[in-house]
Amino acid sequence: MPKVLALTDSAEDIKNFCEEADTHFFALHPLPAAEHTYEGFAQTYRRLKASCDLSSIDVVVAEYVESIPLLYFMRRDGYHCPALMIPHTNPYPFDILFFFLLVAEHSHPGDLVICGSQNAARAYAHITGMAAKNICTFGIKNVYGKQDKRECRERLGLPQDRRILLYTGRFMNDKGLKPLLGGYRRLREQEPDALLVMSVTHIDPPYYNRLAPQMTDVILFHRLEKERTATLYNAADIFVSGATSIFETYGKSPLEALACGVPAVVPRFDGFPYYVDDTNGGLVDVEYLDHSNENPYEFARMSETHFVEKCRGVLRRTEPLDYRIPEWATYEGTMKVLPGLLRDMAETGSTASLRGSSHKIDKSRYPASVAAVLEHYGLEESEDLLAKAGRLGLVDRSNKGDETLLRNLHHELFLTMDAHRG
């Protein structure tokens, strides 16, 4: 029975695919970037090292980016087992990129990054050179399914005579809510009975206040529980999003909508094209920008005019759409795949050949956009990716970084995804 170290706050999910393993859980929570410091990670590592015998570990399950520096510290100290990394994000901006380059520079042959779309997996492999695989993390649970639309609207107090567009997710500036609201306003000019309903979790108050004047004739729900969210999906005619978010590799909300029999109209960006097309909704054109848009890392924006065109096409469509959820996107499907993957990784064993100490980075291993970042900030040794980058304010994002370098890295990452789409 392999010994697994799980760096996570998702103990239930990890237990479901580590049933055949002896698992030591070390609680690790997502933190604001401002709390990402070298000393903070070092302190957490000292607590980790005191919590178990790291020499007995066969595989590390490293969830969230906060676990990646701890993995580096383990390898620096001579604990050389493979790691299954579940970042729930892309390797961008600079702080996240540096974390993964740090592991790439101290890699184990059995290391694997898993992310929710083939597009994102290819991008990880291209940007960092690390092995990556499309395994949904952790898939759609069976609470989402078809219900009667009229009854669902009645339960939620929503009008029966309006065509409802639904957005679910965070109300934050990486979710493309400004172009979404702009597209909605344009759509209302041609389809006056359209109604936008938003169900949001986390709200960025300054961002919400900036967009509040555009929220006329928008219904807003806050922090609905899963069962009520499933009811809301079933009350909708279309799921919509303007998200050109850099932080998600596939986007779970459109899949939840599809599971409820609701078509999705979303940007042609990141993982969305992996499962959305004209058979179950529509993909909206995206403009890649020379300068950042709503936040310092956003260099893509959904076309409002194309959004209107796609929404109208779906609303007017008479032939049936295909709402089947692919097996890979279900929670059950995920849990069928991960146990075998974990066993295979455990069998690769520890390796004494893994480089533990800091060493000179071979920049030629990486794309030009990555090498340019390393060169610009003088990151020469692997330890620099955490220590020097931290002193420069690039790890806690107090220094946002050079806009041209950020843009070039953004386009390298997301246009790589575009280049592999069939």
Side-chain angles (χ1 to χ4, degrees):
M1 178 182 292
K3 175 81 172 184
V4 173
L5 169 62
L7 308 174
T8 181
D9 72 345
S10 306
E12 180 181 348
D13 293 321
I14 304 300
K15 284 176 184 174
N16 284 341
F17 70 85
C18 292
E19 287 183 341
E20 299 178 16
D22 177 13
T23 307
H24 175 78
F25 287 92
F26 183 80
L28 200 63
H29 308 289
L31 297 170
E35 296 182 30
H36 289 179
T37 65
Y38 187 98
E39 183 52 38
F41 288 127
Q43 287 180 0
T44 303
Y45 176 66
R46 288 192 286 271
R47 288 193 290 107
L48 168 63
K49 194 172 180 180
S51 73
C52 70
D53 176 9
L54 293 178
S55 66
S56 69
I57 301 300
D58 298 304
V59 182
V60 177
V61 176
E63 189 179 16
Y64 300 113
V65 297
E66 286 77 8
S67 66
I68 306 303
L70 307 187
L71 186 60
Y72 162 68
F73 287 137
M74 285 183 64
R75 291 178 175 177
R76 188 189 63 181
D77 281 0
Y79 305 112
H80 295 166
C81 61
L84 178 66
M85 288 163 273
I86 310 173
H88 301 294
T89 188
N90 289 298
Y92 179 85
F94 290 156
D95 56 325
I96 303 176
L97 172 70
F98 294 157
F99 292 166
F100 281 92
L101 292 181
L102 191 61
V103 174
E105 288 295 314
H106 297 266
S107 62
H108 183 287
D111 285 347
L112 184 66
V113 180
I114 62 173
C115 39
S117 77
Q118 189 62 47
N119 299 323
R122 288 192 181 108
Y124 257 103
H126 175 69
I127 291 289
T128 69
M130 299 174 68
K133 187 173 287 191
N134 164 220
I135 299 175
C136 190
T137 50
F138 289 103
I140 305 304
K141 296 186 177 180
N142 58 15
V143 66
Y144 300 101
K146 293 183 181 180
Q147 303 175 39
D148 182 82
K149 180 185 293 186
R150 178 168 288 276
E151 290 180 4
C152 289
R153 290 190 176 191
E154 187 174 336
R155 272 182 280 175
L156 293 166
L158 295 173
Q160 300 287 354
D161 59 348
R162 303 286 293 273
R163 288 183 290 178
I164 291 178
L165 283 63
L166 174 65
Y167 166 81
T168 65
R170 292 178 284 113
F171 202 110
M172 303 187 82
N173 66 3
D174 68 304
K175 302 300 284 186
L177 297 180
K178 186 175 180 180
L180 177 63
L181 290 167
Y184 170 54
R185 186 173 60 251
R186 294 178 184 224
L187 179 64
R188 287 286 309 278
E189 293 172 0
Q190 301 180 54
E191 308 287 346
D193 67 336
L195 173 65
L196 178 61
V197 176
M198 306 179 79
S199 176
V200 301
T201 52
H202 303 82
I203 295 178
D204 175 1
Y207 184 60
Y208 177 85
N209 290 338
R210 286 205 307 274
L211 295 185
Q214 300 181 51
M215 297 283 288
T216 55
D217 205 13
V218 174
I219 293 176
L220 186 68
F221 290 92
H222 186 222
R223 291 192 175 277
L224 287 182
E225 48 283 316
K226 276 190 171 66
E227 291 74 15
R228 294 268 285 174
T229 302
T231 301
L232 185 56
Y233 280 125
N234 277 278
D237 294 291
I238 313 179
F239 174 86
V240 293
S241 175
T244 49
S245 177
I246 59 174
F247 296 114
E248 294 161 308
T249 63
Y250 68 107
K252 192 173 284 189
S253 293
L255 282 166
E256 292 171 349
L258 292 173
C260 296
V262 178
V265 173
V266 293
R268 191 186 305 275
F269 188 81
D270 203 342
F272 290 151
Y274 187 53
Y275 59 90
V276 175
D277 56 30
D278 287 342
T279 69
N280 58 12
L283 291 169
V284 181
D285 291 344
V286 168
E287 177 187 4
Y288 284 84
L289 308 172
D290 290 331
H291 298 287
S292 60
N293 189 28
E294 287 292 298
N295 67 61
Y297 312 115
E298 182 185 55
F299 293 89
R301 178 178 56 211
M302 181 187 76
S303 164
E304 295 180 15
T305 55
H306 198 230
F307 170 80
V308 172
E309 180 184 326
K310 284 294 180 180
C311 285
R312 295 191 78 200
V314 172
L315 288 172
R316 292 167 182 267
R317 189 165 174 170
T318 55
E319 62 270 30
L321 297 175
D322 184 355
Y323 300 112
R324 288 172 296 177
I325 300 299
E327 174 69 10
W328 63 263
T330 66
Y331 189 84
E332 294 76 12
T334 301
M335 294 305 161
K336 287 178 184 176
V337 173
L338 287 174
L341 183 65
L342 200 66
R343 285 194 300 272
D344 292 344
M345 292 182 70
E347 290 174 2
T348 65
S350 295
T351 173
S353 62
L354 189 149
R355 292 189 291 185
S357 60
S358 187
H359 57 266
K360 188 172 180 61
I361 299 170
D362 178 6
K363 297 171 188 171
S364 67
R365 294 177 54 201
Y366 303 109
S369 61
V370 175
V373 173
L374 300 176
E375 188 69 30
H376 181 83
Y377 292 108
L379 306 178
E380 301 293 334
E381 299 284 321
S382 58
E383 175 84 356
D384 289 346
L385 293 162
L386 190 58
K388 184 175 182 180
R391 293 193 296 273
L392 292 172
L394 297 169
V395 172
D396 66 6
R397 297 187 196 163
S398 57
N399 176 359
K400 304 300 183 186
D402 178 81
E403 184 183 64
T404 298
L405 294 172
L406 281 165
R407 180 199 64 209
N408 291 345
L409 181 61
H410 178 283
H411 292 356
E412 180 92 46
L413 175 66
F414 294 104
L415 289 174
T416 292
M417 296 183 185
D418 280 342
H420 287 91
R421 287 172 187 144

